[in-house]
Amino acid sequence: MFRPALRPARRPASRAGSWLWLVLLAAACGPRPPADEDASGSVAEADLTPAQELVARSVTFHDPDGIWGSRSLSMSWVGTDGEGGERVAVELEFGADERDFALSGRYRGSSIAYETTADGWAATVDGVAQADLPDADRERMRLHREDGMFWRSYYGFLAGLPMKISDPGSHLDPDIVETTFMDREVHAVRVTYDPDTGGDTWYFYFDPATAQLLGCRFYHDESANDGEYLTFEGLTGDGGLRLPRLRGWYVNADGRHLGTDEVGTIRVGP
């Protein structure tokens, strides 16, 4: 596990997050089964709704051995903006304990080293400890969000899809929706979130034959067609784990391209 030599940061007062961030706050780094479990810990398959069954099939496709949330892993993550300029280039490390997470690299033109453990979190930006940063820099680097846990929540959710779909606070509509996404016939699952985890509405899109996750879409107000959608292309992984390699970000209302994230090499630890 990456351990930068950081001074513990003072915890800022909690502030209200925006659309995606509050949803991501509920998503730590460990998996959650898509249905109730019996006393032995196994999923009661007969009780699965069609939507839960589809999500379970997708988890089996992407993570057949249950690596996510049970073993440490690391990956590189590079993000560009809509014009192709670098937005973020970082190395991520997820511990087998969901509280252990580390990030190091570049974000918004600055170097950043960040980690969370059971004891809290700490970060440096361009060599300056978080506690000594001006408020404007803490906000620019997202260190003021969710009592400092923003980056763990953000990457824990996005990197962990589809395993994170059924995390606490999520409610899957029981039925599958047959629709199209990016000119492909897909099966979709609609998921709503509790108010204290954002209250947004998400759709996740799967290949009907393999259950591979092909993309997702979220709304703050579905009737207003706000929010964004993500397209997933390709796969990358290690040890049986297969995660989406490319994530394209677009605006629901007009299809405007916001940027692209690429996951590089993934290394699964013991």
Side-chain angles (χ1 to χ4, degrees), residues 35 73 78 184 190 237 247:
L73 62 94
V78 176
R184 295 183 59 170
R190 181 177 184 268
R247 293 164 171 80

Side-chain angles (χ1 to χ4, degrees), residues 80-148:
T80 58
D81 58 28
E83 287 73 46
E86 182 186 273
R87 186 181 75 257
V88 59
V90 292
E91 294 289 326
L92 308 176
E93 301 213 15
F94 300 88
D97 184 325
E98 67 181 31
R99 297 169 296 183
D100 291 338
F101 170 76
L103 172 155
S104 63
R106 299 185 305 277
Y107 176 64
R108 292 187 171 181
S110 294
S111 65
I112 181 172
Y114 168 95
E115 72 169 344
T116 68
T117 67
D119 297 323
W121 70 283
T124 64
V125 176
D126 293 330
V128 179
Q130 185 272 347
D132 298 325
L133 290 172
D135 289 344
D137 285 344
R138 281 200 295 271
E139 293 182 12
R140 178 174 62 91
M141 302 302 285
R142 310 289 189 185
L143 297 175
H144 67 302
R145 293 184 181 272
E146 285 83 58
D147 286 343

